[in-house]
Amino acid sequence: KEAVGEAKEVIVPYPAQSSEVRWRYDPAKGAYLRWKTGEPMTDAGGKQLSAANVILYFAEHLDTDIVEDSNGATSIRVVVNGLGTAWLLRDGKILKGNWETDGHNTPNFIFNDGRTMPLKPGNSWVEVIPLDYQPVIDGVANDRLKGASTSGSSPENAKETPEIEPKEATPTSTPIGAKPRPTATPGQ
């Protein structure tokens, strides 16, 4: 089985007081269960949310001047076209690779050698994560650029190999991945 290592519990360090996410693998269900700020996250019927696959999709997050609410909070533009880091959690394991898309199509999740990352049959949940976040896997903070597998090798054979650095995203005409063009500021 292709895996980089064990991943029984994964914490995505979104702001802890309002949004920290935790995924715990339940071997009896063969799925990850989702927790938010320490509480099980449930559907309208009270059933805890679960996913056969959890994809950690690392993407550039850019500040904007678009005001979202009456408190003055501004929106974030997430660049989701080009090439970037992706980690796949399934069966209590983690596989490290990349996402790739032109911004018009659904991303492909691939290893550095171009092979498709094998999703488990069932539902998938995608966590879009800022580039500087370090998810905690089984109690250890992980940097997205360390331990990427070029072949999806097993934990026993895993090597620390540099991951492909994301290419500069090419803006598309779609809102997804579109980047603002710099504008001259008066007086500069």
Side-chain angles (χ1 to χ4, degrees):
K1 193 125 192 164
E2 297 176 318
V4 171
E6 298 291 314
K8 304 295 184 200
E9 180 178 75
V10 177
I11 299 170
V12 180
Y14 298 126
Q17 292 180 346
S18 62
S19 304
E20 182 184 79
V21 169
R22 184 178 307 252
W23 289 95
R24 290 186 184 141
Y25 183 67
D26 182 336
K29 293 183 182 204
Y32 284 88
L33 302 177
R34 193 170 200 268
W35 304 72
K36 184 177 168 201
T37 60
E39 299 293 323
M41 194 167 182
T42 58
D43 63 16
K47 181 179 175 191
Q48 188 167 9
L49 298 178
S50 66
N53 303 288
V54 177
I55 299 168
L56 305 183
Y57 188 119
F58 291 87
E60 184 177 13
H61 286 56
L62 303 171
D63 292 330
T64 72
D65 58 359
I66 300 168
V67 177
E68 291 286 326
D69 63 26
S70 61
N71 294 324
T74 57
S75 72
I76 303 294
R77 172 169 283 127
V78 181
V79 179
V80 292
N81 67 323
L83 176 71
T85 304
W87 295 351
L88 169 62
L89 310 172
R90 59 164 286 180
D91 301 314
K93 308 277 186 202
I94 183 169
L95 291 85
K96 293 184 177 181
N98 299 288
W99 58 264
E100 182 177 42
T101 181
D102 61 5
H104 294 285
N105 297 298
T106 302
N108 292 311
F109 297 101
I110 56 174
F111 292 114
N112 288 349
D113 64 8
R115 287 180 308 114
T116 301
M117 296 174 79
L119 295 176
K120 180 178 181 176
N123 66 327
S124 297
W125 188 294
V126 178
E127 296 282 357
V128 180
I129 302 173
L131 298 176
D132 60 339
Y133 277 29
Q134 292 190 354
V136 177
I137 301 170
D138 295 338
V140 178
N142 283 261
D143 185 302
R144 71 184 174 86
L145 296 179
K146 292 193 179 169
S149 172
T150 59
S151 64
S153 58
S154 66
E156 302 82 42
N157 301 342
K159 297 176 188 167
E160 293 256 336
T161 57
E163 186 165 335
I164 296 171
E165 188 61 31
K167 296 176 192 170
E168 179 64 30
T170 303
T172 66
S173 60
T174 60
I176 199 168
K179 284 181 134 178
R181 298 209 186 278
T183 55
T185 305
Q188 287 188 337

